[in-house]
Amino acid sequence: MSDTLLVEPSAVSPTKRAVGGLLRSREISVAAVLVLVIVLTTLKNPNFLFSSDGWRDLLLTPSLLLLLAVGQTVVIITRNVDLSVGSTLGLTAYLTGKLFVEYPGIPVWAVFLAGLAAGAVLGLVNGALVAYGKVPALVITLGTLYIYRGIFLTWAGSDRINPGDMPSGFLDLGTKTILTIPVLTIIGFVVLAAVGYYLYTARGGRELYAIGSDPDAAVLYGLPVRTRVLSAFVLCGALAGLAGVVYAARYGTISSGAGYGMELQAVGAAVIGGVAIFGGSGTVWGAAIGAFLLVTINRALPVVGISDFWQRAVVGALIIAAIVLDRVFSAREERRLVAARDEMRNAK
């Protein structure tokens, strides 16, 4: 029996293990639901996908939520959450418009950098209070949600930024495509690939997972827990700032309601995409698929004649189902590991 246990793992090729893991992954399941929603809605109304704007909107509309979900995933992996990203988005979107108003000749790339920097500073405040103040992230970011929104409302007041206040070259980013793929979506995919690569390959990325799996053990092991948690919030804030610039390019008009409620959508997208709300597992790829699924469902339900109430109910049901499934899968994995450990002990 001992020989069998030693031979069986090596008998399975790496390719088969990879394919098997892929087929069991939550990301594939969520992607399958996304494809099913698109197919069924397109059968109901072919214009949903095959009209001149259908394909573009399918890719463009989720670009904002994609950026927020990627940043939120990094924070959730560390067993924290950032509820201020919607307010950060609104604040940086208005900042973007004001920069163009106050400095008409400012380069577009400088505005993008300003949005990233402003978001990173707001994320730094959150991260410092959580990592060094040792206050629960839920409490801190709920507070900064209202603080950042209050600053935004005080700054903007009843004023708003109009498309005429921003250069056409910047606004063109909201509609421009490259090989039928919107530029703003390409920006989201580049960010997704960069953050996903970091989490999967870099030592710092793996340490974020270790911290989320067991924060106390991470401290005992000597991992730089405070620094990693702080960096996660800074990255999340920076991506929310980038989303604010994208919002300005996408919609052109920026009022005091910009970004309102998007923090819950970002958390929902991550959770639906398989990111464990208790930290330690999940991928930005899954969060991205979750973002596309949420936005696509919101676009698809009116097409099939479902009321606004049921649209929200469906999204809520998806979030609850994702959390329940996560707990079920975690319990099953724990039982499997215990059974494997007992089997190895018996083999000895």
Side-chain angles (χ1 to χ4, degrees):
M1 187 173 182
S2 176
D3 293 339
T4 302
L5 286 172
L6 292 173
V7 172
E8 280 183 351
S10 60
V12 181
S13 68
T15 302
K16 288 183 178 180
R17 287 199 301 269
V19 171
L22 187 64
L23 293 176
R24 291 191 301 269
S25 70
R26 285 277 297 278
E27 291 85 350
I28 293 298
S29 301
V30 178
V33 174
L34 173 61
V35 172
L36 181 63
V37 169
I38 294 173
V39 170
L40 292 178
T41 309
T42 304
L43 290 175
K44 176 71 175 179
N45 184 353
N47 290 331
F48 181 77
L49 181 61
F50 297 117
S51 66
S52 58
D53 295 329
W55 169 254
R56 188 196 67 178
D57 289 344
L58 184 68
L59 295 176
L60 180 59
T61 306
S63 58
L64 279 172
L65 188 56
L66 169 62
L67 292 172
L68 294 180
V70 169
Q72 193 71 249
T73 296
V74 177
V75 172
I76 293 177
I77 284 173
T78 65
R79 200 177 287 194
N80 290 291
V81 68
D82 188 348
L83 297 180
S84 69
V85 292
S87 298
T88 300
L89 183 153
L91 193 53
T92 53
Y94 192 75
L95 171 66
T96 298
K98 292 298 286 185
L99 285 174
F100 283 121
V101 171
E102 299 294 335
Y103 308 97
I106 188 171
V108 172
W109 61 264
V111 173
F112 271 91
L113 287 180
L116 278 166
V121 170
L122 298 178
L124 178 64
V125 173
N126 290 334
L129 291 173
V130 172
Y132 293 95
K134 296 183 178 180
V135 182
L138 181 65
V139 176
I140 290 297
T141 59
L142 182 61
T144 53
L145 179 157
Y146 290 107
I147 293 173
Y148 297 163
R149 180 64 61 176
I151 295 172
F152 181 19
L153 293 175
T154 302
W155 187 15
S158 59
D159 189 22
R160 71 176 185 177
I161 304 296
N162 298 306
D165 298 324
M166 293 179 281
S168 58
F170 175 73
L171 295 176
D172 287 343
L173 293 175
T175 56
K176 188 176 181 180
T177 61
I178 298 177
L179 299 176
T180 74
I181 301 176
V183 170
L184 297 184
T185 304
I186 293 175
I187 292 174
F189 285 161
V190 170
V191 170
L192 171 66
V195 176
Y197 182 79
Y198 173 79
L199 289 177
Y200 188 74
T201 62
R203 176 178 178 178
R206 307 316 300 171
E207 288 179 350
L208 291 176
Y209 282 99
I211 291 168
S213 297
D214 194 333
D216 294 332
V219 172
L220 292 175
Y221 190 73
L223 298 183
V225 175
R226 290 180 177 177
T227 302
R228 296 303 181 203
V229 171
L230 179 66
S231 65
F233 276 97
V234 170
L235 177 60
C236 184
L239 293 184
L242 177 61
V245 182
V246 169
Y247 181 98
R250 172 75 174 91
Y251 296 107
T253 300
I254 308 163
S255 64
S256 57
Y260 184 80
M262 292 200 71
E263 56 278 338
L264 297 182
Q265 295 182 42
V267 174
V271 172
I272 290 172
V275 180
I277 195 65
F278 301 104
S281 66
T283 66
V284 291
W285 320 106
I289 298 172
F292 271 84
L293 179 59
L294 272 184
V295 174
T296 302
I297 285 177
N298 285 332
R299 290 184 57 234
L301 293 182
V303 173
V304 298
I306 297 178
S307 67
D308 181 68
F309 169 79
W310 288 109
Q311 293 175 40
R312 298 174 184 275
V314 167
V315 172
L318 281 174
I319 295 174
I320 293 173
I323 294 175
V324 171
L325 284 175
D326 177 68
R327 300 310 300 161
V328 170
F329 290 152
S330 296
R332 187 174 67 179
E333 183 67 13
E334 289 175 3
R335 290 195 298 269
R336 187 188 67 81
L337 292 174
V338 170
R341 182 190 64 190
D342 294 341
E343 187 177 356
M344 292 183 67
R345 286 178 176 176
N346 294 334
K348 294 177 182 180

